[in-house]
Amino acid sequence: MTEKLYYWAENLEGYNSDIDNDFPYSIEIKRLNFFIGKNNAGKSRFLRNLFINSTHTIPDFSFPNLSNYFTELKSIIESSQGTIWLGAMSSGENRTTLFKLINDAIDCPIFPRNRYKENYQRTIDQLSKVRIEYTQEFTYKVSEIQKYVNDFENNIVYEKSKSYIPILRGMRPVTEQENTQPYIKRAQKDYFSDTNKFNSNNIITGECLYNELKIHLLGEPEQRELIKDYEEKLSQYFFDNETVSLIPKHDQDVVNIKIGNDQQFPISQLGDGLQQAIILTYEAYIKSKDKEGKPETHAFFIEEPELHMHAGMVRQLMNFYLNETPHYYFFTTHSNHLLDMADESDQVMIQKFVKQPKEEDPTKFDFKIYRCDRDRDLLASLGVRPSSVYLANCTIWVEGITDRLYITKYMEKYLAELESADMELYKKYRRFMPNYHYTFVEYAGSNLSHWSFDDDYPKTREERIEFLKQDRGQSATAVASDMLLIADGDIQKNSEKIKFLRKELNKENLIILDCKETENTLPKDSILRVAQKKFSNMKRKTSQGFNIEKLEGINSLDYFDHKDYGIGKLLDDQIRNPRTSAEKTAFADGTGVGTIKYKLDFCREIIKYFDENPDWEMTPKAKDLCIRIFKHIEKCNSN
């Protein structure tokens, strides 16, 4: 069964996607889908066309290609000698008829995907009536195809409805006329001529929130409980755990809000960013379950979710969508702060739009869609300059991207454990948002000497000139706020660097791992499972001389917790056959200290293992690291 999902619309002339040759004229999608590109690159029009024109569901466009199965059926017929029966009829023409039926299925274009699915269903219905004398192989293969498709249908989620959230949105009435919704009317006039089909039922602008809250709070107990649950989630994600109450006050036309022990006040006195957060999360949360309390999936098409929001709050909004709702989301965005989510979650997809003149007529344009993760062109599409601006209240310095990804996962796990072990501390820590309360800074270990961590960095121009003459490095405090620097244990071998760091950083601002590197703090089971998977995909030339089954002989939980060697060497030492040269490696990146090969690929596999096995346990060193990090964040964000 395909693990990938695809989506498109029936009327998308001028748009072209070269993402996957097997699925032409479609885009691969995940839970969060970001459309980026320069202004006038066609993002918004594409988003609206997906919303307006697609009468089919995500599974329709993701239906698997069955050509290989039909080819196998053709081979079975070619090798068989028995009479072919079509239902109750046997005829010498049946073999020719069957060949034509299967060839048509093989040659059937797989786009549009929904038509391919319809053709398949007709074909398989006819094939299920076929019987070939002296063999059951054909019948078994047809049943196998049917089971494959049934499994796909049973495991894939169908979106129940679609909703569009335009840029023009707000919770405050902009007219004195009662029962009017100017934002929705404007959206209808600009984009949706069929007002019977596109209206307040599927266009979300925030104007209906007052009445929506009134209906729920004056409705059934289950409706009131749903609003209470939503208020708790708002508190958790956007209001630093302060109790939040939303009140459709009877003598006003605007929602009131009460936060903690503060007095109740109209929503108009709340910051625009938080109003946006409520508009963008209310409908998504309310629609997350059906009347029986079972998860219910919808699709949301959202223009510029980052409007009026701090970068950290936008990230928190995306975490809300991923953690608290089952829906699929499609966004147009110019926010570079969302890009690194592609590294942190396998449920994020970024598509870049490029407007290109047509070769035959330069006055007309095609819109090309490219899948991308992190590249310079992507940043340029968002208008991001090479310079970095740190807006968070504190920074955590790590040696590279893999350290950041591992530590981010550790922090998530630590919070999950705190929820059952220490609720008060959990409530205190869960409010901390990436890129707002803290952010990561990635450095290369060898570059540390180029930075000065001295708080007394010169302020005046003359002092700076004199400082630079001393070649003491660039000021870290000039580009980043309160910092916690995490260094790999192998730095211990460089006494000068250790001396330099301890001189310029306070003890509480420096963590030197008591092992070679961050990978040595990973739990044993995760390393073993990923290593086994990686080994099975190695070329024979690489894996020859090693026996992966020897990994099962590792009984010590701290086998990989080593001061001098990376997990690559520790893996090789365990699985190397007695006669295999010590110079030959399977996992280690060379014969030195044994850092794992292809660190980022290995890291992604580890994170995937964590996501698929939520019961994984942190090592003591990983937990201690989290404790230090959260204490640093708490200190830097205390009032």
Side-chain angles (χ1 to χ4, degrees):
M1 186 184 307
T2 179
E3 294 181 356
K4 296 182 178 180
L5 297 177
Y6 296 85
Y7 203 45
W8 200 248
E10 286 79 359
N11 185 17
L12 275 171
E13 293 181 8
Y15 285 91
N16 189 306
S17 171
D18 297 326
I19 294 166
D20 192 327
N21 291 331
D22 219 18
F23 290 73
Y25 300 102
S26 62
I27 55 169
E28 184 183 348
I29 67 166
K30 294 187 179 180
R31 289 278 314 286
L32 303 184
N33 302 278
F34 299 111
F35 300 155
I36 66 123
K38 296 179 180 179
N39 288 331
N40 200 32
K43 308 181 298 296
S44 295
R45 186 159 63 89
F46 182 84
L47 183 84
R48 286 191 292 271
N49 278 336
L50 281 186
F51 170 65
I52 297 170
N53 294 320
S54 183
T55 58
H56 295 274
T57 63
I58 292 172
D60 288 334
F61 286 99
S62 305
F63 193 77
N65 187 346
L66 302 172
S67 298
N68 290 337
Y69 278 107
F70 288 125
T71 301
E72 290 178 32
L73 285 175
K74 187 176 177 181
S75 298
I76 294 172
I77 299 170
E78 290 171 342
S79 62
S80 69
Q81 301 299 321
T83 301
I84 296 177
W85 291 75
L86 293 179
M89 301 289 295
S90 67
S91 167
E93 298 297 320
N94 283 354
R95 187 176 295 270
T96 302
T97 302
L98 193 53
F99 271 128
K100 183 179 186 310
L101 181 65
I102 293 175
N103 282 329
D104 287 346
I106 294 173
D107 296 336
C108 175
I110 61 175
F111 182 83
R113 209 68 181 169
N114 53 290
R115 287 191 197 149
Y116 174 79
K117 178 181 178 181
E118 292 165 4
N119 288 335
Y120 153 76
Q121 289 170 329
R122 285 195 299 268
T123 302
I124 206 67
D125 182 59
Q126 291 176 274
L127 293 177
S128 63
K129 301 172 184 176
V130 172
R131 181 170 58 86
I132 302 178
E133 286 185 339
Y134 311 123
T135 179
Q136 291 292 314
E137 189 177 0
F138 187 89
T139 303
Y140 291 152
K141 180 57 66 176
V142 172
S143 297
E144 183 182 338
I145 300 174
Q146 188 66 66
K147 182 180 183 304
Y148 177 83
V149 173
N150 288 342
D151 287 344
F152 170 83
E153 298 278 1
N154 292 333
N155 288 296
I156 199 166
V157 175
Y158 285 78
E159 71 275 24
K160 189 170 182 180
S161 73
K162 297 185 293 183
S163 297
Y164 172 69
I165 305 181
I167 289 179
L168 197 58
R169 54 186 184 252
M171 294 178 64
R172 294 172 290 167
V174 292
T175 177
E176 294 296 328
Q177 290 181 288
E178 293 186 7
N179 303 318
T180 60
Q181 298 166 331
Y183 292 154
I184 290 179
K185 286 190 174 182
R186 186 73 247 181
Q188 288 174 323
K189 183 174 182 179
D190 291 338
Y191 309 128
F192 313 113
S193 56
D194 187 349
T195 56
N196 290 323
K197 185 177 179 181
F198 301 104
N199 46 51
S200 59
N201 291 326
N202 51 17
I203 303 174
I204 300 169
T205 59
E207 297 168 278
C208 303
L209 235 166
Y210 181 92
N211 288 324
E212 282 282 329
L213 285 170
K214 184 183 290 186
I215 290 169
H216 278 77
L217 291 174
L218 297 177
E220 300 297 326
E222 296 81 10
Q223 291 176 293
R224 295 194 292 274
E225 189 67 26
L226 184 59
I227 297 300
K228 181 181 177 182
D229 291 342
Y230 172 65
E231 291 169 340
E232 289 179 357
K233 295 303 179 184
L234 278 182
S235 166
Q236 176 182 339
Y237 282 87
F238 303 106
F239 289 90
D240 289 344
N241 291 321
E242 293 273 11
T243 303
V244 173
S245 297
L246 299 175
I247 306 108
K249 194 173 179 182
H250 73 279
D251 58 348
Q252 295 186 8
D253 60 356
V254 66
V255 175
N256 275 230
I257 188 168
K258 180 173 173 57
I259 304 170
N261 295 321
D262 294 347
Q263 279 192 327
Q264 174 179 320
F265 56 86
I267 202 79
S268 56
Q269 297 179 26
L270 192 68
D272 287 335
L274 287 169
Q275 291 183 54
Q276 290 289 322
I278 294 172
I279 294 170
L280 294 172
T281 56
Y282 175 81
E283 200 81 18
Y285 189 81
I286 295 299
K287 289 184 174 180
S288 292
K289 294 179 181 178
D290 61 17
K291 293 181 179 180
E292 284 73 42
K294 297 178 182 177
E296 187 173 85
T297 301
H298 300 260
F300 288 84
F301 300 80
I302 304 175
E303 297 267 15
E304 311 288 349
E306 68 271 19
L307 282 182
H308 307 301
M309 285 196 194
H310 184 282
M313 186 177 291
V314 180
R315 289 288 300 273
Q316 202 71 336
L317 172 66
M318 299 305 152
N319 289 332
F320 180 97
Y321 285 151
L322 283 178
N323 299 336
E324 307 299 340
T325 73
H327 311 309
Y328 289 90
Y329 298 90
F330 301 87
F331 311 97
T332 61
T333 182
H334 290 101
S335 173
N336 59 296
H337 299 287
L338 295 172
L339 300 186
D340 56 357
M341 289 198 73
D343 286 327
E344 297 168 13
S345 173
D346 62 358
Q347 293 300 308
V348 174
M349 181 69 67
I350 301 173
Q351 315 277 7
K352 179 170 66 176
F353 285 66
V354 179
K355 183 180 181 181
Q356 298 177 343
K358 291 186 175 182
E359 292 183 6
E360 64 275 14
D361 186 355
T363 64
K364 297 180 180 179
F365 297 89
D366 283 325
F367 298 91
K368 301 287 186 180
I369 307 172
Y370 302 91
R371 175 181 170 178
C372 55
D373 294 316
R374 294 173 67 106
D375 60 30
R376 292 183 183 275
D377 289 340
L378 184 152
L379 292 174
S381 297
L382 296 174
V384 180
R385 292 189 172 275
S387 57
S388 298
V389 180
Y390 295 93
L391 303 175
N393 291 336
C394 69
T395 52
I396 301 164
W397 289 53
V398 294
E399 287 211 13
I401 183 174
T402 57
D403 287 6
R404 172 170 64 84
L405 296 177
Y406 286 134
I407 291 171
T408 298
K409 276 297 174 187
Y410 287 168
M411 293 170 69
E412 291 175 5
K413 183 67 173 178
Y414 180 70
L415 278 178
E417 293 181 357
L418 271 185
E419 188 172 8
S420 56
D422 190 336
M423 181 55 72
E424 288 303 312
L425 195 59
Y426 167 72
K427 287 181 178 179
K428 183 187 293 185
Y429 285 170
R430 76 178 182 182
R431 72 184 182 89
F432 296 135
M433 296 185 293
N435 294 330
Y436 182 86
H437 295 102
Y438 68 94
T439 193
F440 286 96
V441 177
E442 297 170 16
Y443 69 90
S446 59
N447 286 339
L448 272 181
S449 57
H450 300 301
W451 290 93
S452 170
F453 299 96
D454 194 341
D455 285 335
D456 296 327
Y457 195 77
K459 305 292 189 297
T460 68
R461 180 175 181 275
E462 292 74 17
E463 288 174 341
R464 286 196 292 271
I465 292 173
E466 184 59 33
F467 184 90
L468 290 173
K469 288 180 181 178
Q470 302 172 28
D471 194 24
R472 289 176 58 189
Q474 182 176 339
S475 170
T477 57
V479 296
S481 52
D482 288 345
M483 64 194 66
L484 174 68
L485 191 143
I486 303 171
D488 287 345
D490 56 8
I491 200 176
Q492 301 276 11
K493 297 176 182 178
N494 191 330
S495 58
E496 287 300 316
K497 191 176 286 187
I498 288 285
K499 184 178 178 181
F500 159 75
L501 289 175
R502 286 180 172 159
K503 176 185 175 184
E504 297 213 341
L505 283 168
N506 296 326
K507 184 178 180 180
E508 62 270 18
N509 295 104
L510 175 64
I511 298 175
I512 299 177
L513 298 178
D514 190 24
C515 53
K516 183 193 176 296
E517 55 193 356
T518 304
E519 281 82 357
N520 295 94
T521 67
L522 291 169
K524 183 193 77 170
D525 287 347
S526 66
I527 296 175
L528 296 185
R529 297 292 82 81
V530 171
Q532 288 167 340
K533 180 179 179 181
K534 301 284 281 186
F535 189 85
S536 66
N537 294 325
M538 285 181 184
K539 295 180 179 178
R540 178 167 175 75
K541 182 179 178 181
T542 303
S543 62
Q544 192 170 20
F546 297 94
N547 181 4
I548 196 66
E549 293 180 2
K550 289 184 178 183
L551 284 184
E552 301 301 330
I554 298 177
N555 297 316
S556 173
L557 288 175
D558 61 355
Y559 173 78
F560 293 102
D561 182 4
H562 204 284
K563 287 189 175 183
D564 300 314
Y565 298 126
I567 62 173
K569 175 176 172 56
L570 296 171
L571 285 166
D572 286 345
D573 288 349
Q574 178 67 21
I575 66 174
R576 183 179 283 106
N577 291 330
R579 295 184 180 181
T580 302
S581 168
E583 301 295 311
K584 183 174 174 59
T585 66
F587 288 99
D589 188 10
T591 57
V593 293
T595 295
I596 194 77
K597 280 182 186 176
Y598 311 115
K599 289 185 74 168
L600 185 55
D601 287 343
F602 191 87
C603 173
R604 294 190 193 283
E605 289 295 334
I606 289 285
I607 288 174
K608 184 177 180 182
Y609 173 86
F610 287 162
D611 291 339
E612 293 173 351
N613 299 273
D615 293 332
W616 67 277
E617 295 183 5
M618 281 196 295
T619 61
K621 285 186 177 176
K623 186 173 292 187
D624 289 343
L625 184 61
C626 288
I627 292 171
R628 290 283 303 275
I629 290 172
F630 274 108
K631 284 184 177 179
H632 173 76
I633 297 171
E634 180 184 11
K635 182 190 73 172
C636 297
N637 286 277
S638 58
N639 295 326

